[in-house]
Amino acid sequence: MQIPVEGFMYPNEVELQWSVLIVLYPFITGLVAGAFILASLERVFRVQAVKPTYRLALLTALSFLLVAPLPLQLHLGHPERSLEMYLTPHRSSAMAMFGFVYLWYLMAVLLLEIWLDYRHDIVARSQSEKGWKRLVYRLLTFGSSNVSERALRIDERLGYFITLVGIPSAFLLHGYVGFIFGSVKANPWWSSPLMPIVFVFSAMVSGIAAVMLLYMLSTRLRGQQIDIRCVDKIAQYLLYTFVIDFSLEMLDLIQRIYEADESFRSLDFMVHTRLWKSQVIIQILLGTVTPIALLGLTQVVKLTETARKRIYGLAGCLTVIGIFAMRWNVVIGGQLFSKSFLGYTTYKMAFATREGLLIAIGLMILPFGILWVLVKLLPPWPDSGSLPASGAPAHGTS
Amino acid sequence: MNLFKDIEHLIRLAVVIVVLLLVFVVLRVAVVPHSFGEYGHYRGDAIQEVAARPISFAGHAVCEDCHTDVVDQKKLGKHVVVSCEACHGAQARHVEDPGSVKPAKLDTAILCARCHEANSAKPKGFPQVATADHSAGLACDTCHQPHRPKIETAAKNEAGGRK
Amino acid sequence: MDITRRRLLMLLPAAAMAWKYVQAGTPEAAPNYKLTEHWWAMLIDIPKCIGCGSCVRACAEENDVPEGYYRTWIERYHVADWKIERPDVESPDGGKNGFPPHADEGGKNFFVPKLCNHCADSPCTQVCPVGATFVSPDGVVLVDKNYCLGCRYCVQACPYGCRFINPKTNTAEKCTLCYHRITKGLTTACCEVCPTGARQLADLKNPKDPIHEYLRTHTVQVLKPHMATGSKVFYNGMDGSVR
């Protein structure tokens, strides 16, 4: 297990502590926060155009949120002790507070919002379905099948309120992930007050792109027509948030270059060598500049629908790859240089170990599996399913 | 009454949440170690657990109690400041059972060089030699007496060690 | 052998009392040790360090430190003329087996022993999510290996690279300042074996400890003072190039 080292590392620094799994963790929570914020747009700001993606975005957020703690759990030295996070949380630790932020977001915001929004469907299905499915729906009704107009109106009002609370919660969720890194004063690559903000905006970018892709893909798979007005609007939002995100990242970069503090020479060398491909080529050029240019193109030039769809698909894919590269560069990049600023170590991803590539791929596929189950259980599109009653999700924006 | 009926599902949900919270509170009381928070946000017993580790290095005070002859020797030379286990290694087990656990015999050709091999980063006043030149692999205790290393003039002339 | 022990008990009360607990391996620290009466620190005299590696070896033996990891280590610095911002540093095997003769004869060369700084405002204990690492009432940063999750956040948070994950226990590990020794009236293993007295254990709460006089009369520095961690390992004669 000889790890190649260049220059001088403190002897305990040679081995990387946080592996590819910890790259997945902010990436996945970012998708959650971004997807939720997109869903909230429709509800709070009453953006009619993106309505076809509302439920899909919520379910996407939930399926990724359920997977988010798994990479953390897998990388722990003692996963069986993880409950201590909730039993004796250390108030001064960003990581401990994240446990509660996560739980709040999952339980109080996402599950509740989905439940309120789907209650009408759930009640209907608890009466029409058979076998184990009926049992599941029955359980989800909590034994109350009241779907009177007034009950639904109350649900709607409460749902609206939860969405209102949900937006800052989504910001909190991912801002907090940024803070976990941004607050480490020992590490100049991480330590930055901009970190939480950059994380929030990059989360929105990745979440919006992911929902857009999922919407286009799922609509095509169902043999339906893609609502181009909807995708246009989402792409527009993607462009705007992306421009903000990119500006923030560049601001951080320019500040670092101009200030050139004690860590600069070391970090600069790292970006030009070990991170050149993942940071400059993949993250910045391929994953940021290219999609911004592509999306910008659709705003200035009049293109055919097919061309726009293709551009959105390409830009969306590049965006998701770019944001993943960004997480990689933050998490892995922050551990490649010595805190003495005199040397560099190497990250060699394992393959079939507990923190290896295989598990990482599995964890990236898992949310789609969960999403598939959720979509079967709670169809997000109005026309699917055999239920005549499920056609009118009652969240009074109509 | 009608209102109650229309928010019944919410009340049921609230009850479920409250029950879950209660379970959490009970679990917390039951599972958190009793000494947690005794001195601060940590398990107080952990301090004793760390302190309970057995020691390996006995400390020179214990050695000097029996080996008074060596102490007298050391007092005459510069090695008076060097504690016994710096060369002889951890001897707690020897102290525990001096009869059967004996310290290993040391090879001075290796041992002395650890400190006295010349190195430009060593303090200038520290006695150091390039052992290859100085003794050509000969064990140091051929000439030097480790507990009192300075060689008397007569002996030095015979062996001819070079700085 | 029994006689020897009794003799010990009679002649050397402090060491012998400690010995009793050492042998018994009992969880209680020596009875006269009070947590609130100490505030441990260490003094390192760089001009005295000869880079022999005795401290590194003794630490590994005393504390069963796994191969390839270090609770304490020695670095050798080479500073060419005025380039104090770009020193050449090396620490082969943590200096465990000493250092090969130096190739660069010009400039300035010296050794710097490193260990946990037992910071009063330690960033590592701040970030621990569950309270598995803490500053003890007597000022030593310890890890509760029966409570540690192994999340590794503390390893990331230490600016000095003093922590690592023990591959056997899968928990965070670091210098305990030989807590099992200092609570029994002994000094740390590294201080015990240091042949030149370059390392000195110090108790800042003890008014008779020579450290007070030393700090008054010497130019003393801590590592990375800009980190403001309340470091309690004080270095005498430390060059500006040390980081």
Side-chain angles (χ1 to χ4, degrees):
Chain A
M1 196 200 68
Q2 199 49 254
I3 301 169
V5 172
E6 192 180 340
F8 171 72
M9 301 285 288
Y10 295 132
N12 296 324
E13 273 183 328
V14 175
E15 187 184 36
L16 259 72
Q17 299 300 327
W18 286 348
S19 64
V20 64
L21 293 192
I22 307 300
V23 177
L24 283 187
Y25 155 72
F27 180 64
I28 291 177
T29 27
L31 291 175
V32 174
F36 182 84
I37 288 167
L38 181 64
S40 319
L41 269 179
E42 187 268 337
R43 187 140 191 185
V44 176
F45 301 107
R46 303 183 194 279
V47 183
Q48 280 300 308
V50 300
K51 197 173 166 191
T53 62
Y54 172 71
R55 286 182 155 191
L56 183 66
L58 280 187
L59 296 184
T60 307
L62 180 61
S63 41
F64 277 94
L65 192 65
L66 288 172
V67 175
L70 288 184
L72 294 183
Q73 193 71 15
L74 277 168
H75 112 285
L76 286 183
H78 285 270
E80 79 282 4
R81 294 179 186 167
S82 59
L83 203 61
E84 288 169 6
M85 286 263 217
Y86 290 108
L87 296 173
T88 59
H90 194 198
R91 261 170 302 164
S92 67
S93 168
M95 199 183 268
M97 287 306 109
F98 178 78
F100 288 93
V101 173
Y102 173 82
L103 215 57
W104 161 259
Y105 191 74
L106 176 70
M107 300 296 210
V109 176
L110 210 48
L111 280 181
L112 209 56
E113 179 159 346
I114 292 175
W115 185 67
L116 288 171
D117 194 61
Y118 273 98
R119 216 174 62 79
H120 187 273
D121 300 28
I122 291 171
V123 169
R125 278 164 186 265
S126 75
Q127 283 151 4
S128 65
E129 291 283 350
K130 287 181 186 58
W132 65 271
K133 267 189 163 178
R134 187 191 180 96
L135 204 70
V136 171
Y137 289 117
R138 282 283 289 277
L139 219 62
L140 285 175
T141 61
F142 289 103
S144 162
S145 53
N146 183 358
V147 282
S148 72
E149 211 172 286
R150 183 153 150 209
L152 288 182
R153 214 173 44 240
I154 290 169
D155 285 358
E156 157 63 22
R157 296 246 308 264
L158 188 60
Y160 180 79
F161 174 72
I162 288 169
T163 314
L164 271 187
V165 178
I167 294 176
S169 299
F171 275 81
L172 185 67
L173 177 77
H174 208 63
Y176 225 118
V177 179
F179 187 73
I180 287 177
F181 293 97
S183 63
V184 177
K185 73 174 165 188
N187 190 323
W189 186 245
W190 291 344
S191 173
S192 159
L194 271 184
M195 198 62 116
I197 308 176
V198 168
F199 262 54
V200 165
F201 276 95
S202 56
M204 284 165 65
V205 168
S206 66
I208 293 172
V211 172
M212 182 177 80
L213 290 175
L214 274 174
Y215 170 71
M216 286 164 66
L217 194 71
S218 62
T219 317
R220 181 154 295 181
L221 283 180
R222 290 186 307 128
Q224 304 275 327
Q225 196 64 38
I226 291 174
D227 181 348
I228 192 73
R229 221 166 53 85
C230 167
V231 192
D232 276 340
K233 199 79 192 165
I234 296 179
Q236 212 175 7
Y237 286 133
L238 180 59
L239 175 63
Y240 296 156
T241 37
F242 219 159
V243 168
I244 298 175
D245 177 46
F246 188 51
S247 317
L248 285 169
E249 279 180 44
M250 287 303 108
L251 187 64
D252 186 66
L253 194 68
I254 291 166
Q255 172 88 0
R256 281 172 190 275
I257 294 172
Y258 193 81
E259 266 195 1
D261 69 5
E262 58 162 359
S263 65
F264 178 68
R265 196 205 294 249
S266 180
L267 299 181
D268 185 50
F269 183 79
M270 180 174 76
V271 170
H272 281 90
T273 52
R274 279 168 161 69
L275 288 187
W276 181 255
K277 266 188 239 151
S278 62
Q279 175 112 359
V280 179
I281 307 287
I282 299 181
Q283 184 192 327
I284 297 180
L285 291 179
L286 221 56
T288 309
V289 176
T290 314
I292 286 181
L294 285 174
L295 292 170
L297 194 70
T298 62
Q299 299 295 310
V300 267
V301 185
K302 254 202 160 7
L303 295 163
T304 61
E305 246 180 58
T306 333
R308 290 215 302 280
K309 274 187 225 164
R310 287 205 179 128
I311 286 184
Y312 294 153
L314 179 64
C317 288
L318 287 177
T319 303
V320 174
I321 292 170
I323 299 292
F324 181 81
M326 182 256 183
R327 310 295 188 222
W328 174 280
N329 295 321
V330 169
V331 176
I332 302 296
Q335 303 173 81
L336 290 181
F337 65 94
S338 170
K339 285 170 190 160
S340 67
F341 306 132
L342 294 172
Y344 308 89
T345 185
T346 318
Y347 176 53
K348 281 204 173 140
M349 203 184 331
F351 182 66
T353 60
R354 193 164 64 132
E355 294 191 55
L357 179 65
L358 211 57
I359 294 280
I361 292 173
L363 285 174
M364 255 350 276
I365 295 174
L366 187 58
F368 295 100
I370 297 178
L371 184 63
W372 184 77
V373 173
L374 284 177
V375 166
K376 288 276 161 218
L377 217 56
L378 305 167
W381 14 82
D383 52 341
S384 75
S386 54
L387 287 164
S390 67
H395 48 77
T397 43
S398 43
Chain B
M1 207 53 228
N2 210 358
L3 177 70
F4 173 77
K5 235 183 140 187
D6 284 338
I7 58 166
E8 193 196 340
H9 59 286
L10 296 178
I11 292 171
R12 282 170 182 260
L13 179 72
V15 170
V16 171
I17 291 173
V18 169
V19 168
L20 284 177
L21 279 176
L22 278 176
V23 168
F24 173 75
V25 171
V26 171
L27 191 75
R28 188 167 190 273
V29 172
V31 175
V32 172
H34 72 279
S35 72
F36 204 95
E38 195 179 341
Y39 305 105
H41 191 85
Y42 55 92
R43 226 162 43 87
D45 287 351
I47 296 181
Q48 269 85 51
E49 285 167 23
V50 176
R53 188 187 168 78
I55 65 169
S56 302
F57 285 83
H60 61 279
V62 186
C63 312
E64 284 163 4
D65 192 49
C66 295
H67 301 282
T68 44
D69 52 328
V70 181
V71 178
D72 291 341
Q73 277 287 306
K74 275 174 71 183
K75 271 184 194 152
L76 299 172
K78 278 196 165 176
H79 279 178
V80 64
V81 293
V82 182
S83 73
C84 316
E85 288 163 306
C87 301
H88 293 282
Q91 295 301 340
R93 290 189 52 234
H94 168 64
V95 178
E96 209 171 298
D97 189 357
S100 46
V101 183
K102 296 284 184 195
K105 201 96 186 100
L106 300 170
D107 181 356
T108 52
I110 297 164
L111 183 78
C112 303
R114 278 183 187 158
C115 292
H116 294 288
E117 186 70 63
N119 193 312
S120 57
K122 283 182 182 171
K124 291 291 159 284
F126 185 77
Q128 42 192 313
V129 294
T131 43
D133 298 348
H134 179 77
S135 59
L138 221 60
C140 307
D141 61 354
T142 319
C143 305
H144 300 272
Q145 204 276 84
H147 290 136
R148 188 188 163 193
K150 192 169 162 80
I151 296 171
E152 304 309 320
T153 359
K156 193 173 186 175
N157 288 342
E158 267 169 51
R162 285 188 289 125
K163 267 270 152 152
Chain C
M1 179 227 151
D2 233 348
I3 297 164
T4 327
R5 199 188 302 166
R6 198 167 305 135
R7 220 180 111 234
L8 273 174
L9 283 168
M10 286 183 331
L11 289 179
L12 273 159
M17 185 149 57
W19 196 243
K20 206 169 75 193
Y21 291 92
V22 171
Q23 281 191 311
T26 44
E28 306 81 33
N32 57 348
Y33 185 81
K34 287 216 173 62
L35 284 173
T36 48
E37 285 173 1
H38 306 271
W39 191 246
W40 295 107
M42 194 177 275
L43 190 67
I44 292 181
D45 200 349
I46 289 182
K48 278 189 182 170
C49 181
I50 57 169
C52 62
S54 295
C55 49
V56 186
R57 292 190 299 274
C59 175
E61 179 161 4
E62 179 74 37
N63 297 294
D64 200 14
V65 180
E67 184 75 33
Y69 300 90
Y70 303 89
R71 289 187 179 194
T72 185
W73 68 94
I74 308 169
E75 293 165 6
R76 179 166 64 182
Y77 274 71
H78 168 74
V79 186
D81 202 26
W82 57 276
K83 302 208 164 165
I84 66 164
E85 280 187 14
R86 300 296 290 170
D88 286 324
V89 187
E90 57 189 326
S91 183
D93 292 324
K96 197 173 190 167
N97 304 308
F99 291 79
H102 212 294
D104 306 302
E105 281 299 330
K108 177 165 54 179
N109 306 306
F110 53 91
F111 295 108
V112 183
K114 295 268 183 89
L115 72 159
C116 168
N117 292 285
H118 294 282
C119 309
D121 306 313
S122 63
C124 57
T125 62
Q126 181 188 28
V127 302
C128 176
V130 297
T133 182
F134 52 89
V135 184
S136 70
D138 41 355
V140 183
V141 177
L142 298 174
V143 178
D144 179 351
K145 68 167 191 276
N146 296 316
Y147 209 68
C148 173
L149 293 175
C151 75
R152 307 169 179 223
Y153 202 12
C154 57
V155 185
Q156 307 284 12
C158 174
Y160 314 100
C162 295
R163 286 175 170 254
F164 57 89
I165 296 290
N166 183 323
K168 276 181 240 154
T169 61
N170 280 326
T171 52
E173 192 174 308
K174 61 179 288 299
C175 162
T176 60
L177 209 62
C178 281
Y179 198 70
H180 59 296
R181 299 173 59 88
I182 62 176
T183 48
K184 287 161 195 150
L186 296 164
T187 187
T188 65
C190 57
C191 291
E192 175 66 33
V193 301
C194 179
T196 62
R199 288 168 174 253
Q200 298 289 335
L201 178 73
D203 183 356
L204 297 174
K205 268 197 188 167
N206 177 3
K208 287 187 199 135
D209 196 300
I211 181 133
H212 303 293
E213 172 68 16
Y214 195 94
L215 291 175
R216 235 188 346 263
T217 52
H218 290 74
T219 308
V220 177
Q221 179 62 289
V222 293
L223 290 173
K224 301 190 181 181
H226 58 282
M227 284 288 155
T229 57
S231 168
K232 296 208 300 311
V233 172
F234 302 103
Y235 285 86
N236 176 49
M238 184 161 76
D239 190 72
S241 58
V242 177
R243 63 247 340 253

